[in-house]
Amino acid sequence: MQPQQRIVWICLAVILFTSVVWFEAVVLPADYMFIWRWTESQVIYESLITVGFLVAAIVGYFLLRKGAGDWEQWKIVRLGIMIWIAMLALLTLFSLYVYTLGNQHVADAYEGDGFEITAMGSVNEQEGVGEFFVVMSCDFRGFYKRVIYLDRVVGIDDVKFKWDNGELRASYQLEGRELRDTLIEVDELYAQCLRSDSERPIE
């Protein structure tokens, strides 16, 4: 095999091996998230991406084997690769376990002109209460969108949005009783969202 061909196979293998490291940094534009983040489809897409990292590493192994040829150091290199693939396999299993275990759901959503406000969280079945995040998504561009964090509430089991006297309000509830009512300044928050002028929510 020509040296140039070996270099190509080895470079492709390294790219595939390290995809878990560079994927979001390269694919995601600054201040943007994937369109499926903070939706009920997030679990499916994130699981597929995690499995994709493992598959990419396995394909990378065969490409590197092709490029390595008769390397004397191949046995040592192979050991390191096997350890890396094993770590990715553990990461994949752990991620799938977490995604399957979590019961994150969208409690309510309000869609406006160019933006969407979503209340997403989970409820502990034993305690009957949970934790919910309220976020605003805007500037939708293909697979991307901007997201800003609006609120985080614990000790409730539901969130409802209501339009009252020209104002959008979030009602935080427990067993059907309203515990708190919060005004959402739509216009101001929408302007902030377009500037990504907020800390990013926990994904």
Side-chain angles (χ1 to χ4, degrees):
M1 182 182 295
Q2 296 295 323
Q4 295 86 348
Q5 292 178 311
R6 286 193 175 189
I7 292 174
V8 170
W9 290 122
I10 293 172
C11 288
L12 289 175
V14 171
I15 291 173
L16 291 174
F17 284 138
T18 58
S19 60
V20 66
V21 177
W22 57 257
F23 179 74
E24 286 203 9
V26 172
V27 175
L28 273 181
D31 298 326
Y32 282 85
M33 288 186 182
F34 288 116
I35 196 73
W36 58 77
R37 294 278 171 86
W38 296 96
T39 69
E40 291 187 338
S41 301
Q42 176 173 328
V43 173
I44 298 174
Y45 287 104
E46 296 296 332
S47 298
L48 290 174
I49 291 174
T50 305
V51 172
F53 291 144
L54 178 60
V55 173
I58 294 173
V59 173
Y61 167 81
F62 290 105
L63 293 182
L64 185 60
R65 182 68 188 93
K66 187 172 183 177
D70 55 353
W71 277 0
E72 294 182 0
Q73 300 85 357
W74 170 245
K75 290 185 178 179
I76 298 176
V77 174
R78 182 177 60 185
L79 176 62
I81 294 171
M82 290 301 181
I83 293 174
W84 178 249
I85 292 177
M87 291 173 62
L88 287 177
L90 289 175
L91 172 64
T92 301
L93 292 174
F94 177 75
S95 299
L96 293 176
Y97 172 75
V98 170
Y99 291 144
T100 304
L101 184 66
N103 59 345
Q104 294 274 333
H105 69 280
V106 175
D108 200 6
Y110 175 83
E111 187 172 348
D113 185 13
F115 68 89
E116 183 176 20
I117 298 176
T118 306
M120 188 172 183
S122 61
V123 176
N124 187 305
E125 295 181 359
Q126 296 180 346
E127 299 178 1
V129 296
E131 177 184 44
F132 287 83
F133 289 89
V134 179
V135 300
M136 173 183 279
S137 304
C138 68
D139 196 12
F140 299 92
R141 299 187 182 186
F143 289 105
Y144 311 114
K145 64 181 179 181
R146 293 181 188 269
V147 177
I148 62 170
Y149 165 84
L150 304 184
D151 204 356
R152 170 181 173 269
V153 184
V154 297
I156 60 174
D157 63 7
D158 200 8
V159 180
K160 295 295 181 185
F161 297 120
K162 55 185 180 181
W163 191 262
D164 186 19
N165 294 326
E167 296 178 335
L168 181 64
R169 310 188 75 88
S171 174
Y172 302 119
Q173 303 176 1
L174 178 62
E175 297 179 347
R177 294 179 293 107
E178 184 175 87
L179 301 183
R180 200 175 95 191
D181 177 83
T182 301
L183 172 64
I184 299 177
E185 299 284 357
V186 174
D187 293 337
E188 180 181 342
L189 292 171
Y190 180 51
Q192 290 182 18
C193 185
L194 293 175
R195 302 191 306 266
S196 295
D197 188 15
S198 169
E199 62 179 278
R200 289 175 66 134
I202 301 173
E203 300 176 26

